[in-house]
Amino acid sequence: MSRTKVYIAQMPEGLIAPDFTEDALKLINERYLRRDRDGQIVETVEGMCWRVAYHIASADKKFNKSDDEVNDLAKEFYATLAERKFFPNAPTIYNAGTGNGLQFSACFVLPVEDSMDGIYDAIKWQAIIHKSGGGTGFSFSSLRPKDALVKSTRGRSSGPVSFLKVFNTSTEFVKQGGMRRGANMAIMNVHHPDIMEFVESKGMLIDKNKVIYERVKPFIYSKRALDLLRTSLLDTQIANFNISVAATDVFMEAVRNNAEYNLIAPHSGEVVSRIKARTVFDAIVKMAWETGDPGLWFIDKTNRWRANPIPSLKMINATNPCGEQPLFDFDVCNLGSINLSKFLIRENDKYKINFNELEKTVRLAVHFLDNVIELNPYPLPQITDFAHKIRRIGLGIMGWADMLTYLDTPYASNDAIKLAEQVSKFINDIGHDESQKLATERGPFPLWDKSIYKDDKPMRNCTITTIAPTGEIRILAGCSGGIEPFYGLTEIHKFENRILYRIQPGFERFLEVAKKRGFYSEKLEEEVKNRGQISDLDGIPGDVRKVFITAHEIKPEWHVKIQSAFQKNTDNGVSKTINLPNSATPADIEKIYWLAYETACLGITVFRDGCKGGVLTVGIDNSQKGKLDYRDFIRSRPKPAHGITTRVETPDGAAFVTINYDIEIGPIEPFEIFINVAKAGTDAAADAEAMGRLASAHLRIESPKTPIERLTQLKDQLRGIGGSRTSGFGKEKVTSLADGVSKAIDFYLKYFGFIEDKEIKEKEIAILRGNRCPQCRQGTLIYEEGCSHCSNCDYNVC
């Protein structure tokens, strides 16, 4: 990678000023503008747009265009950027025209060959691509399984998952374009013998994380805090990779028929075993429910689709990090997206799509992306060679949710499905037509005569359309991302030390509708701005609620239907996250997988709210962000439980007070109290049950205080409550049932060392964690290591 001097013509006078939002300008100043050696910004926003526009337009000189023609084209490119109608992927904006030697593409796929040389070549290439600003996808399906014989060393293979960890570690130390760690995708074919280990690799604690968890676990007081620790550790596990399972048609049909299928050793092609497909499928569902990984990618469907334009020559075995771009080995895609919210016109008080302007931008964008291929300083010669042989581009969209609000069309509706098919077909058809025109001027892609298009008109590019997630460029465009619904009408976007408060065009449209329909107020505007959604606000008509719906309010099947509608008219893949509420079940995810497989989708990614940390927050009221509303969390009852029962004489008779704790955490986390006194059906028994329930609820509600602190609170509140009768004398005096429960709690705290008391002896309590002992008649008979022994007396049988 070396710097080269790049000529950028002087910016012409009279160009329109860029129309960027405050958040976009903040991001541009932070990341996109050129700086001198001292880190000082030396470029304006207008200069950035012109730099990118002119450099990409200069590729036309290779096709005998004059300087004036190049300048005219650069002006058109500039206008699309300044007006926020189209943006290429972020690396193009970072690097085009800078001469810094960094490439312009965001996504690559690299081969991983079954040898040490092949594996470490891939790691080296990964580092080079990440350093140049790109992300990488890999198929680990070719690596021999764990414990397979390695003939050259007479040893045993450690398996693909072990090498996946090496790739992940390498990513930790190479920042993408010098700014952040690169993104990766790991794919494994479902027929690989190590598929179960792969599926669980991000959902089961491994290596040092498992050790950390087990060491810290005894000192965590709250079940929820323990779950949070586990989730946090899992988030660091292979943290730099998304993972997806390449599911074949054979596998999916075996799942459907509850049948077995073959696991095949890739290095020998031998069937090493058979396994119930349902076992693997259930594991995929479970892990996706718990962690959001793995995704499910339908590899056979993808290779039958236009994403593979040369099926007679190559097969696709992996995708880019976000999964929407299937790629061959050493393949690359040059992506860009059109902001649909900029193609609306108002007629007779209604909005409609301006297809004439959309067509102009589609044609300009295809021209732009083809020029990127000409100028891109690809990081590896193999990539350069293949990129020019097939010339893959991927033109997509963003602002879909915004457009729907202006067209008064609910996201979850058949009207939205029809519109998705109409818009995607229009863009794909115009894009193909423009590629054919470019082929007339510049020639088709070199492998065209071996492609699926060989009997049709020559095309300049082997694929035209992709729908990407548009992470950063949607902030530049000031619109909703890709084809996703609103996460919120307003959002807080956090990344490292940067916080962006985002106001969607959909929010502005909501205010317009509210004023027109007569339910607007300044208070409502502030409420919606802070909340980011309207579902729980009064006074908003039902039809309006449907139009301004947010991601977690949409039933999962509508997410899938929208993805399928766009996929029907998209050459490559479609990025779409199926957002699920936290209450979603594994059965819900299974239903989604089948709907995706049976429709046009090439893959599917689900994300259950809360299964891992995120960077988006609904609404822009940051005053309470990060604070827990502890009333929302009540711990579930663990199975099994341990406890101690203390007998206390009370004015209502002998009371047996049992305090149980979580067996996995220990007595440091008491979570329930049972109080038995008098006969069932009496007033005293009812009062005892009520007191036990209230005490248990107090212990199980999450709060900043530890369970022991809350148990102590209970003791102090109940102590000394008195009535007309007492029991006992002196230290043994008990003034009421409540006072007796307080003494039982005091005993628990002293017995387990939370309060110091040297007089307590084990014989004074019965530990209720076993069967009844035939000798002492206590519930203290425990079966351990092949023997039954009593913890209260000397009874022992092996």
Side-chain angles (χ1 to χ4, degrees), residues 471-502:
E472 279 193 12
I473 63 171
R474 70 141 173 159
I475 298 175
L476 299 186
C479 66
S480 57
I483 60 166
E484 300 290 355
F486 298 119
Y487 194 78
L489 296 176
T490 60
E491 299 169 354
I492 296 178
H493 185 280
K494 298 179 181 179
F495 181 78
E496 295 178 349
N497 295 323
R498 187 220 312 136
I499 299 178
L500 299 178
Y501 297 90
R502 304 202 59 244

Side-chain angles (χ1 to χ4, degrees), residues 8-20:
I8 303 295
Q10 185 174 350
M11 189 170 14
E13 295 182 0
L15 295 179
I16 63 170
D19 174 29
F20 288 107

